[in-house]
């Protein structure tokens, strides 16, 4: 089976959380740890031109990088936050990240060894939440600007 013996690195980030007017998109990307991600030229998407983003996407599609995506539409976000029991945007973000990670872990094809998550809310609480939910993953790092770490 592909990836079971080899360690994988996985990163989770979101887009669209700022104004919360349109959909929020959560995505994770994962690949074998041996791949030098810095060689791709990734950066914060806001710093890249559309042309560069398209070229990077083509490189991703031709590589061993895999990804999962969750799109939360404005109505879904509003409905979640208007429930009788308190459920805020940070919790929705944490649950979305956990759902992405769960999708990959349940495939049992990839041995995830390192996870990097761009924080939403207090990083230590978020990291503890994910570490408790995924005890089989040796390293989960939740920090500000995790998309800049490797």
């Amino acid at each position: 089976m592909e990836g079971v013996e080899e360690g994988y690195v996985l990163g989770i980030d979101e887009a669209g959380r700022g104004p919360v007017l349109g959909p929020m998109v959560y995505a994770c990307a994962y690949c074998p740890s041996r791949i030098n991600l810095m060689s791709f030229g990734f950066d914060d998407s806001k710093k890249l031109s559309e042309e560069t983003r398209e070229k990077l996407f083509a490189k991703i599609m031709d590589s061993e990088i895999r990804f999962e995506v969750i799109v939360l539409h404005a109505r879904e976000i509003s409905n979640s936050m208007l429930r009788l029991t308190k459920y805020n945007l940070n919790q929705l973000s944490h649950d979305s990240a956990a759902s992405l990670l769960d999708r990959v872990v349940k495939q049992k094809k990839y041995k995830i060894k390192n996870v990097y998550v761009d924080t939403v809310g207090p990083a230590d609480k978020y990291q503890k939440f994910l570490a408790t939910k995924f005890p089989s993953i040796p390293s989960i790092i939740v920090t500000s600007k995790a998309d800049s770490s490797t």
Side-chain angles (χ1 to χ4, degrees), residues 19-46:
V20 192
L21 294 174
M24 285 193 328
V25 178
Y26 278 82
C28 73
Y30 51 101
C31 65
S33 299
R34 66 178 156 70
I35 292 180
N36 178 1
L37 292 172
M38 299 304 279
S39 70
F40 279 76
F42 295 130
D43 200 345
D44 185 323
S45 63
K46 292 180 275 306

Side-chain angles (χ1 to χ4, degrees), residues 14-25 46 72 74 77-78 81 89:
E14 51 71 33
R17 192 173 196 270
V20 192
L21 294 174
M24 285 193 328
V25 178
K46 292 180 275 306
L72 300 171
I77 295 166
S78 293
M81 295 177 68
L89 196 53

Side-chain angles (χ1 to χ4, degrees), residues 21-84:
L21 294 174
M24 285 193 328
V25 178
Y26 278 82
C28 73
Y30 51 101
C31 65
S33 299
R34 66 178 156 70
I35 292 180
N36 178 1
L37 292 172
M38 299 304 279
S39 70
F40 279 76
F42 295 130
D43 200 345
D44 185 323
S45 63
K46 292 180 275 306
K47 296 179 183 176
L48 302 172
S49 69
E50 183 176 350
E51 179 183 354
T52 301
R53 287 193 302 270
E54 288 175 7
K55 286 179 182 175
L56 284 172
F57 186 69
K59 283 172 109 174
I60 290 168
M61 297 307 290
D62 287 338
S63 74
E64 294 179 78
I65 298 173
R66 304 288 177 260
F67 57 90
E68 297 283 337
V69 177
I70 293 176
V71 178
L72 300 171
H73 295 280
R75 181 179 304 259
E76 186 177 359
I77 295 166
S78 293
N79 288 343
S80 294
M81 295 177 68
L82 295 173
R83 300 186 323 189
L84 290 177

Side-chain angles (χ1 to χ4, degrees), residues 82-101:
L82 295 173
R83 300 186 323 189
L84 290 177
T85 55
K86 187 178 176 186
Y87 190 69
N88 64 36
L89 196 53
N90 285 352
Q91 290 169 305
L92 181 60
S93 298
H94 296 181
D95 289 343
S96 296
S99 180
L100 287 168
L101 195 47

